[in-house]
Amino acid sequence: DSGVTQTPKHLITATGQRVTLRCSPRSGDLSVYWYQQSLDQGLQFLIQYYNGEERAKGNILERFSAQQFPDLHSELNLSSLELGDSALYFCASSPLQGTGELFFGEGSRLTVL
Amino acid sequence: DAKTTQPPSMDCAEGRAANLPCNHSTISGNEYVYWYRQIHSQGPQYIIHGLKNNETNEMASLIITEDRKSSTLILPHATLRDTAVYYCIVRTTGANSKLTFGKGITLSVRP
């Protein structure tokens, strides 16, 4: 158990819909990262937050947005969903900004039908 | 961040050492080598990292060549539970530095 909690574990929805994935980082960790893993793309970095502020952006689509709240939990919002958005979405946390030692949650599996 | 190259797969016998190679010939002086693994769609798990010295922890050992162009992750006594995809990643320590995963190497531990 990494200490990072992600909900929901599984989500099935239809194209065009919007979903929110939630992540609670390890106690005390200020950095939160979001990754997407699909069969054909592997693990793709989406976005990083540190203490509520966006710090780095990767291959995140404009239909996707994220935020980190004052209590440090984070949400990833996915809208106008397409079939290709079906994937595992992982959240990770770390205590520092510069460290490469990330603690990953078990992921949220999104299926878009 | 520098690119890494790993063979797509390898296997080893249970109880034997598993030596997982990684090439990172374009690594620069301020880049670290990180290893993660992912067991069947679970969240990736940090294993170990190093800059230029060899490192060891309770999970594995990391051997980095003197020129730092390649490294080897060693699992000293592989078990069936070590079957996973292992990712070798090169990364700086900047605050905005990303952890970029490649395809990794699939290690299969056979009984």
Side-chain angles (χ1 to χ4, degrees):
Chain A
D1 181 7
S2 67
V4 177
T5 303
Q6 290 188 247
T7 57
K9 287 188 175 16
H10 301 275
L11 190 55
I12 302 174
T13 188
T15 54
Q17 295 299 304
R18 172 190 170 94
V19 299
T20 297
L21 309 180
R22 181 187 169 100
C23 170
S24 294
R26 293 188 324 154
S27 177
D29 283 0
L30 299 178
S31 278
V32 168
Y33 308 76
W34 286 97
Y35 283 80
Q36 178 193 54
Q37 186 172 35
S38 56
L39 279 175
D40 56 344
Q41 292 291 324
L43 269 161
Q44 300 286 314
F45 168 74
L46 295 179
I47 199 164
Q48 177 202 352
Y49 283 85
Y50 177 79
N51 203 21
E53 292 187 11
E54 182 184 307
R55 289 298 189 185
K57 221 167 187 176
N59 302 322
I60 187 166
L61 300 172
E62 286 192 10
R63 300 183 286 107
F64 296 0
S65 65
Q67 56 182 326
Q68 185 180 27
F69 294 87
D71 66 354
L72 301 177
H73 91 272
S74 179
E75 292 181 356
L76 179 66
N77 300 296
L78 316 175
S79 61
S80 302
L81 286 168
E82 302 174 0
L83 296 178
D85 298 328
S86 295
L88 265 169
Y89 291 85
F90 289 105
C91 169
S93 74
S94 70
L96 304 171
Q97 283 194 81
T99 179
E101 187 175 346
L102 273 54
F103 297 86
F104 282 80
E106 290 304 306
S108 292
R109 182 176 293 279
L110 173 66
T111 301
V112 183
L113 301 175
Chain B
D1 295 332
K3 184 180 167 63
T4 63
T5 304
Q6 299 177 258
S9 63
M10 67 175 289
D11 64 18
C12 76
E14 189 176 20
R16 305 296 295 269
N19 298 301
L20 288 72
C22 180
N23 286 323
H24 30 79
S25 59
T26 61
I27 192 170
S28 56
N30 65 343
E31 290 181 312
Y32 286 72
V33 179
Y34 283 82
W35 282 84
Y36 277 74
R37 73 179 182 183
Q38 186 175 25
I39 299 172
H40 188 55
S41 296
Q42 294 179 19
Q45 178 188 23
Y46 165 82
I47 301 174
I48 198 167
H49 76 280
L51 183 62
K52 52 185 177 181
N53 297 322
N54 298 338
E55 302 288 343
T56 295
N57 62 20
E58 65 278 3
M59 288 183 69
S61 294
L62 174 60
I63 308 298
I64 303 174
T65 58
E66 193 168 339
D67 63 6
R68 301 209 323 124
K69 293 186 177 183
S70 66
S71 60
T72 301
L73 179 74
I74 300 173
L75 307 179
H77 306 287
T79 71
L80 299 179
R81 287 176 297 179
D82 292 322
T83 293
V85 178
Y86 288 76
Y87 299 96
C88 170
I89 303 165
V90 168
R91 178 188 179 275
T92 64
T93 57
N96 301 331
S97 182
K98 296 171 275 189
L99 206 62
T100 301
F101 290 80
K103 295 186 187 303
I105 178 173
T106 299
L107 172 68
S108 300
V109 180
R110 61 181 188 276

